[in-house]
Amino acid sequence: MPLSREKLRIQRCFAKALPSYDQQARAQAQINRRLCQMLAQNGRLQFERVLEIGCGSGGLTRLLAQQLSAQSHKVRSWQLNDLNPLALQQAQAWLTTETVQLLAGDAEYLTLDQPVDLLASASTVQWFSQPQRFIRLAEQALKPQGLLLFSTFLPDNLIEIKQLTQIGLNYPDKARWLAWLQPHFELLALDCERIVCHFTQPSAVLRHLKATGVTATNQQAWTKGKLADFYQRYQQRFGVCDDENHSKVRLTYAPLLILAKRK
């Protein structure tokens, strides 16, 4: 199915950010580690078929591959999905599984030939035009007792940007995600601890967002005057001092991490 205009714009933003993503995506990397910790704490690390939605540069792919390859039971089939074909190739480099299938395209309309044991996704579902489709996809893709491991973001994600610009995604809250899960999934673990990043100045915040593709949400034109006003207000409202009394500004990520089992 051809990508919509909105998904094409998202694809372009993340394609531009691909070379800088791994270096800049500190919060997303922390989320990937938390997801793998949740999976390990559940005690189940043996899967025959794995599907990852929105693999991007392969940050979660690499960690999962390392974690699962440490088990005596080898993953037989790994499927990677992303809007960006170049990202799929980059993520595939972390896999040694004999059978790897690359699924370029919009995951909201993804169909699979065979069910999987583990469906994983990190920092992707918020880009779905209808996020509940992700739960429907998981319910259809997973075998009974299969595991769903994913992260998205809550309504106060990047709250500093939203307060100053009134621009941002519409994130479902935790209660809505749990309501969508409840009919077909058993909740095993949940984490919604915030991640606060600090930058030397407001301009560094915008560079960070561009380098991680997050500016896919931003359709406004920045004039020189608007930019100067944004910097000034950001510094005034969200300026902090670090432990060494150096001036910084904050940016807050509000992730929601979930591990659930298909009923």
Side-chain angles (χ1 to χ4, degrees):
M1 181 174 180
L3 295 180
S4 67
R5 182 180 299 179
E6 176 71 8
K7 292 296 174 69
L8 283 170
R9 186 169 60 82
I10 294 169
Q11 181 195 58
R12 286 194 295 269
C13 283
F14 279 95
K16 289 179 181 177
L18 190 62
S20 58
Y21 187 89
D22 287 342
Q23 183 180 2
Q24 293 292 329
R26 292 177 282 163
Q28 291 84 347
Q30 187 172 332
I31 289 167
N32 293 341
R33 292 191 295 271
R34 283 189 192 174
L35 285 171
C36 289
Q37 289 167 1
M38 288 172 65
L39 188 63
Q41 289 165 0
N42 177 67
R44 180 177 167 191
L45 290 172
Q46 295 187 350
F47 305 96
E48 288 194 356
R49 300 178 61 83
V50 175
L51 167 65
E52 184 181 353
I53 299 296
C55 63
S57 63
L60 180 61
T61 314
R62 174 178 59 85
L63 294 178
L64 279 177
Q66 292 171 349
Q67 192 164 338
L68 300 184
S69 67
Q71 307 301 305
S72 58
H73 182 91
K74 187 176 181 181
V75 175
R76 290 196 299 114
S77 172
W78 203 301
Q79 295 170 298
L80 297 176
N81 158 264
D82 201 84
L83 289 173
N84 182 4
L86 290 177
L88 288 173
Q89 295 175 18
Q90 186 168 322
Q92 182 185 13
W94 296 109
L95 300 178
T96 58
T97 305
E98 290 182 7
T99 303
V100 179
Q101 185 179 8
L102 304 182
L103 306 171
D106 189 345
E108 292 195 59
Y109 304 99
L110 185 66
T111 57
L112 300 176
D113 296 331
Q114 298 183 51
V116 299
D117 307 288
L118 172 66
L119 192 159
S121 181
S123 306
T124 295
V125 183
Q126 68 275 8
W127 298 107
F128 277 41
S129 58
Q130 297 185 45
Q132 64 270 34
R133 281 181 179 158
F134 177 72
I135 302 302
R136 203 174 309 142
L137 167 64
E139 187 248 322
Q140 294 169 352
L142 282 164
K143 298 176 183 177
Q145 309 302 306
L147 295 187
L148 172 62
L149 178 72
F150 77 100
S151 72
T152 183
F153 294 95
L154 295 172
D156 55 350
N157 189 57
L158 305 179
I159 191 65
E160 296 87 354
I161 303 296
K162 187 171 289 187
Q163 287 181 3
L164 293 181
T165 67
Q166 284 70 58
I167 292 172
L169 295 174
N170 293 317
Y171 303 98
D173 61 17
K174 181 175 68 174
R176 189 174 300 181
W177 278 109
L178 295 179
W180 287 336
L181 283 166
Q182 194 278 328
H184 300 288
F185 288 88
E186 173 190 349
L187 182 67
L188 300 179
L190 183 147
D191 179 353
C192 52
E193 183 180 347
R194 291 185 175 194
I195 300 172
V196 180
C197 300
H198 293 99
F199 298 87
T200 54
Q201 54 194 0
S203 60
V205 173
L206 291 188
R207 287 195 299 271
H208 162 77
L209 294 175
K210 183 177 181 180
T212 55
V214 180
T215 48
T217 63
N218 185 2
Q219 301 183 54
Q220 79 167 7
W222 287 99
T223 65
K224 188 174 181 180
K226 283 184 178 179
L227 205 54
D229 179 65
F230 172 82
Y231 290 159
Q232 181 180 24
R233 289 187 296 129
Y234 202 110
Q235 186 71 54
Q236 289 173 346
R237 293 186 62 176
F238 307 116
V240 296
C241 288
D242 62 18
D243 294 338
E244 298 178 355
N245 207 34
H246 295 148
S247 177
K248 298 286 182 71
V249 292
R250 74 166 195 261
L251 180 67
T252 305
Y253 285 87
L256 174 66
L257 291 75
I258 285 178
L259 176 65
K261 181 168 64 175
R262 174 81 163 82
K263 293 180 179 177

